[in-house]
mmCIF file of all heavy atoms in Angstrom:
data_model
loop_
_atom_site.group_PDB
_atom_site.id
_atom_site.type_symbol
_atom_site.label_atom_id
_atom_site.label_comp_id
_atom_site.label_asym_id
_atom_site.label_seq_id
_atom_site.Cartn_x
_atom_site.Cartn_y
_atom_site.Cartn_z
ATOM 1 N N GLY L 136 15.245 -8.499 2.137
ATOM 2 C CA GLY L 136 15.044 -9.940 2.339
ATOM 3 C C GLY L 136 14.507 -10.283 3.724
ATOM 4 O O GLY L 136 13.589 -11.106 3.851
ATOM 5 N N SER L 137 15.055 -9.652 4.752
ATOM 6 C CA SER L 137 14.621 -9.979 6.123
ATOM 7 C C SER L 137 13.178 -9.547 6.332
ATOM 8 O O SER L 137 12.355 -10.306 6.885
ATOM 9 C CB SER L 137 15.526 -9.280 7.145
ATOM 10 O OG SER L 137 16.865 -9.647 6.941
ATOM 11 N N ALA L 138 12.846 -8.343 5.905
ATOM 12 C CA ALA L 138 11.464 -7.850 6.070
ATOM 13 C C ALA L 138 10.490 -8.736 5.297
ATOM 14 O O ALA L 138 9.434 -9.120 5.818
ATOM 15 C CB ALA L 138 11.372 -6.398 5.590
ATOM 16 N N ILE L 139 10.850 -9.087 4.070
ATOM 17 C CA ILE L 139 9.962 -9.922 3.239
ATOM 18 C C ILE L 139 9.694 -11.265 3.930
ATOM 19 O O ILE L 139 8.540 -11.689 4.073
ATOM 20 C CB ILE L 139 10.568 -10.142 1.831
ATOM 21 C CG1 ILE L 139 10.499 -8.851 1.029
ATOM 22 C CG2 ILE L 139 9.861 -11.284 1.092
ATOM 23 C CD1 ILE L 139 11.244 -8.887 -0.304
ATOM 24 N N ASP L 140 10.761 -11.912 4.391
ATOM 25 C CA ASP L 140 10.580 -13.236 5.004
ATOM 26 C C ASP L 140 9.829 -13.137 6.331
ATOM 27 O O ASP L 140 9.010 -14.012 6.656
ATOM 28 C CB ASP L 140 11.934 -13.914 5.222
ATOM 29 C CG ASP L 140 12.486 -14.476 3.916
ATOM 30 O OD1 ASP L 140 11.908 -14.187 2.851
ATOM 31 O OD2 ASP L 140 13.497 -15.195 3.959
ATOM 32 N N ALA L 141 10.105 -12.087 7.103
ATOM 33 C CA ALA L 141 9.400 -11.928 8.388
ATOM 34 C C ALA L 141 7.900 -11.732 8.150
ATOM 35 O O ALA L 141 7.061 -12.351 8.823
ATOM 36 C CB ALA L 141 9.980 -10.734 9.143
ATOM 37 N N ILE L 142 7.555 -10.909 7.174
ATOM 38 C CA ILE L 142 6.140 -10.638 6.899
ATOM 39 C C ILE L 142 5.460 -11.898 6.346
ATOM 40 O O ILE L 142 4.330 -12.227 6.716
ATOM 41 C CB ILE L 142 5.994 -9.421 5.941
ATOM 42 C CG1 ILE L 142 6.507 -8.144 6.623
ATOM 43 C CG2 ILE L 142 4.540 -9.250 5.501
ATOM 44 C CD1 ILE L 142 6.711 -6.969 5.688
ATOM 45 N N THR L 143 6.181 -12.615 5.472
ATOM 46 C CA THR L 143 5.621 -13.868 4.940
ATOM 47 C C THR L 143 5.321 -14.837 6.080
ATOM 48 O O THR L 143 4.253 -15.459 6.128
ATOM 49 C CB THR L 143 6.616 -14.527 3.949
ATOM 50 O OG1 THR L 143 6.876 -13.598 2.904
ATOM 51 C CG2 THR L 143 6.070 -15.813 3.370
ATOM 52 N N ARG L 144 6.245 -14.917 7.015
ATOM 53 C CA ARG L 144 6.059 -15.825 8.161
ATOM 54 C C ARG L 144 4.832 -15.414 8.974
ATOM 55 O O ARG L 144 4.023 -16.254 9.400
ATOM 56 C CB ARG L 144 7.329 -15.790 9.014
ATOM 57 C CG ARG L 144 7.307 -16.644 10.264
ATOM 58 C CD ARG L 144 7.596 -18.100 9.927
ATOM 59 N NE ARG L 144 7.464 -18.939 11.090
ATOM 60 C CZ ARG L 144 8.471 -19.576 11.701
ATOM 61 N NH1 ARG L 144 9.687 -19.479 11.225
ATOM 62 N NH2 ARG L 144 8.262 -20.320 12.752
ATOM 63 N N LEU L 145 4.676 -14.115 9.195
ATOM 64 C CA LEU L 145 3.510 -13.622 9.956
ATOM 65 C C LEU L 145 2.213 -13.956 9.218
ATOM 66 O O LEU L 145 1.227 -14.384 9.828
ATOM 67 C CB LEU L 145 3.612 -12.105 10.163
ATOM 68 C CG LEU L 145 4.687 -11.638 11.146
ATOM 69 C CD1 LEU L 145 4.903 -10.131 11.027
ATOM 70 C CD2 LEU L 145 4.287 -11.994 12.580
ATOM 71 N N LYS L 146 2.218 -13.771 7.905
ATOM 72 C CA LYS L 146 1.008 -14.071 7.118
ATOM 73 C C LYS L 146 0.711 -15.572 7.163
ATOM 74 O O LYS L 146 -0.445 -15.968 7.343
ATOM 75 C CB LYS L 146 1.175 -13.600 5.669
ATOM 76 C CG LYS L 146 1.126 -12.085 5.530
ATOM 77 C CD LYS L 146 1.246 -11.682 4.071
ATOM 78 C CE LYS L 146 1.075 -10.170 3.899
ATOM 79 N NZ LYS L 146 1.319 -9.744 2.520
ATOM 80 N N ASN L 147 1.738 -16.396 7.026
ATOM 81 C CA ASN L 147 1.529 -17.853 7.092
ATOM 82 C C ASN L 147 0.994 -18.274 8.456
ATOM 83 O O ASN L 147 0.309 -19.284 8.583
ATOM 84 C CB ASN L 147 2.830 -18.609 6.804
ATOM 85 C CG ASN L 147 3.233 -18.486 5.345
ATOM 86 O OD1 ASN L 147 2.407 -18.142 4.493
ATOM 87 N ND2 ASN L 147 4.501 -18.728 5.046
ATOM 88 N N ASP L 148 1.314 -17.477 9.466
ATOM 89 C CA ASP L 148 0.858 -17.764 10.830
ATOM 90 C C ASP L 148 -0.566 -17.251 11.069
ATOM 91 O O ASP L 148 -1.131 -17.475 12.133
ATOM 92 C CB ASP L 148 1.843 -17.094 11.809
ATOM 93 C CG ASP L 148 1.660 -17.545 13.234
ATOM 94 O OD1 ASP L 148 1.113 -18.638 13.450
ATOM 95 O OD2 ASP L 148 2.060 -16.798 14.151
ATOM 96 N N GLY L 149 -1.119 -16.497 10.093
ATOM 97 C CA GLY L 149 -2.513 -16.065 10.209
ATOM 98 C C GLY L 149 -2.729 -14.570 10.429
ATOM 99 O O GLY L 149 -3.872 -14.116 10.491
ATOM 100 N N PHE L 150 -1.657 -13.796 10.554
ATOM 101 C CA PHE L 150 -1.830 -12.348 10.736
ATOM 102 C C PHE L 150 -2.160 -11.697 9.384
ATOM 103 O O PHE L 150 -1.560 -12.042 8.366
ATOM 104 C CB PHE L 150 -0.573 -11.721 11.344
ATOM 105 C CG PHE L 150 -0.348 -12.151 12.767
ATOM 106 C CD1 PHE L 150 0.518 -13.195 13.070
ATOM 107 C CD2 PHE L 150 -1.028 -11.543 13.809
ATOM 108 C CE1 PHE L 150 0.709 -13.620 14.379
ATOM 109 C CE2 PHE L 150 -0.839 -11.957 15.124
ATOM 110 C CZ PHE L 150 0.025 -12.993 15.411
ATOM 111 N N THR L 151 -3.105 -10.776 9.411
ATOM 112 C CA THR L 151 -3.550 -10.185 8.142
ATOM 113 C C THR L 151 -3.338 -8.670 8.097
ATOM 114 O O THR L 151 -3.365 -8.068 7.028
ATOM 115 C CB THR L 151 -5.049 -10.463 7.908
ATOM 116 O OG1 THR L 151 -5.768 -9.999 9.052
ATOM 117 C CG2 THR L 151 -5.308 -11.944 7.701
#
Side-chain angles (χ1 to χ4, degrees):
S137 303
I139 288 172
D140 283 9
I142 295 167
T143 302
R144 179 80 185 248
L145 289 167
K146 288 182 175 174
N147 290 342
D148 192 23
F150 292 97
T151 54

